[in-house]
Amino acid sequence: MRYDKRSVGKNVEAAIPEKELDFNQFVHDANAWVEQLVQDEANTKVGIIGHSQGSLVGMLAAQVSNPDAFISLAGAGHPIDQVLYDQIQGQLSGELLQESEEILKKLKQGKQVKYVSQELMSIFRPSVQGFMSSWMQYDPAWEFAKLEIPTLIVNGDNDIQVPVKDAQLLKDANKMSELLVVEKMNHVLKEATKDSQGNMEAYTNPELPLASGLMDGIIGFLKEGDFLK
């Protein structure tokens, strides 16, 4: 079973007003789906796969629902405030970069920021600050270390949003996990070039197949856990 998070794709109608959104709502949603699958006697095993933001959602849900396995696809190893700063640092400089750093620090502390420069509104608009603050309270590596079930970490070596070093950080946090680095794969699981323009073009091209080696790696892991025959 695959589902879209609230406000995205087929779950647009389940959207919560942005100013009321809390990261933990995504975790509650994931647990609700897992519970539904567990209650179906046709399912002998239940695992969780989370992509990008969904990786953290999945590992938090796994701590509650205790599935049989967990797979992280392109999931960050650092808290989101660090991830955002690293991304912003490559795009901004001077006063805007300093302002971004100050905003991130306040959000991390659970505070709101009333004044945001127009150039930064797309990232730090007031209506999204509560959600971002709730998201920042979690350290993926710390949460991943708590899992005591079979786990697989998947990352692409051409992922310009979440580099392989983040996957390695998760691996270091949970020594029993398996790590799969897919050659030429970007953040949306497609083969792409390393340069920013070519990499981003793959994001909006639905004709591109999944990167070679991705499905084989996932299927191999699931067979090891007797999910597939």
Side-chain angles (χ1 to χ4, degrees):
M1 183 203 75
R2 185 189 73 83
Y3 74 94
D4 296 320
K5 68 181 181 180
R6 291 174 183 267
S7 77
V8 173
K10 295 184 178 180
N11 271 334
V12 170
E13 294 183 359
I16 297 174
E18 189 172 68
K19 64 181 180 180
E20 300 175 13
L21 190 59
D22 187 288
F23 186 80
N24 294 295
Q25 182 62 59
F26 291 158
V27 181
H28 296 325
D29 290 344
N31 278 320
W33 283 114
V34 172
E35 182 178 356
Q36 180 173 319
L37 292 172
V38 169
Q39 291 177 351
D40 187 342
E41 295 181 356
N43 299 317
T44 57
K45 289 190 175 184
V46 175
I48 297 176
I49 301 178
H51 172 255
S52 193
Q53 181 190 75
S55 170
L56 178 57
V57 171
M59 62 181 74
L60 290 170
Q63 294 173 22
V64 176
S65 57
N66 194 32
D68 297 290
F70 172 71
I71 299 176
S72 168
L73 298 179
H78 294 89
I80 190 58
D81 53 304
Q82 294 182 33
V83 174
L84 284 174
Y85 184 75
D86 288 344
Q87 294 176 353
I88 292 171
Q89 198 173 23
Q91 303 171 25
L92 302 175
S93 60
E95 293 182 358
L96 287 177
L97 181 60
Q98 183 178 354
E99 180 183 348
S100 297
E101 185 175 12
E102 292 173 355
I103 292 173
L104 287 170
K105 287 180 179 179
K106 289 182 179 179
L107 294 179
K108 183 82 168 183
Q109 296 168 357
K111 300 177 181 179
Q112 299 282 310
V113 180
K114 292 184 178 180
Y115 175 78
V116 178
S117 294
Q118 189 62 40
E119 295 90 337
L120 300 177
M121 285 292 284
S122 63
I123 309 172
F124 299 120
R125 58 193 177 278
S127 60
V128 80
Q129 289 182 21
F131 172 74
M132 293 181 66
S133 180
S134 65
W135 187 2
M136 290 176 187
Q137 304 313 307
Y138 294 106
D139 182 333
W142 180 263
E143 302 301 335
F144 190 63
K146 299 177 184 178
L147 300 183
E148 298 180 351
I149 55 176
T151 53
L152 173 66
I153 307 159
V154 183
N155 220 94
D157 63 3
N158 278 358
D159 189 331
I160 59 176
Q161 285 188 243
V162 179
V164 173
K165 65 181 181 180
D166 276 58
Q168 187 61 55
L169 190 60
L170 294 178
K171 171 65 176 174
D172 292 342
N174 192 326
K175 301 295 185 181
M176 297 301 292
S177 62
E178 297 183 32
L179 173 61
L180 170 65
V181 177
V182 181
E183 186 178 356
K184 298 181 181 179
M185 188 174 80
N186 72 354
H187 192 66
V188 294
L189 315 180
K190 309 288 184 68
E191 288 191 6
T193 56
K194 192 74 172 180
D195 67 283
S196 180
Q197 181 177 347
N199 200 290
M200 295 302 294
E201 286 176 355
Y203 280 55
T204 55
N205 185 351
E207 301 302 320
L208 291 177
L210 292 172
S212 177
L214 172 63
M215 289 307 301
D216 287 344
I218 292 175
I219 290 171
F221 172 76
L222 293 176
K223 283 185 176 179
E224 288 179 7
D226 292 328
F227 277 83
L228 302 172
K229 301 298 182 181

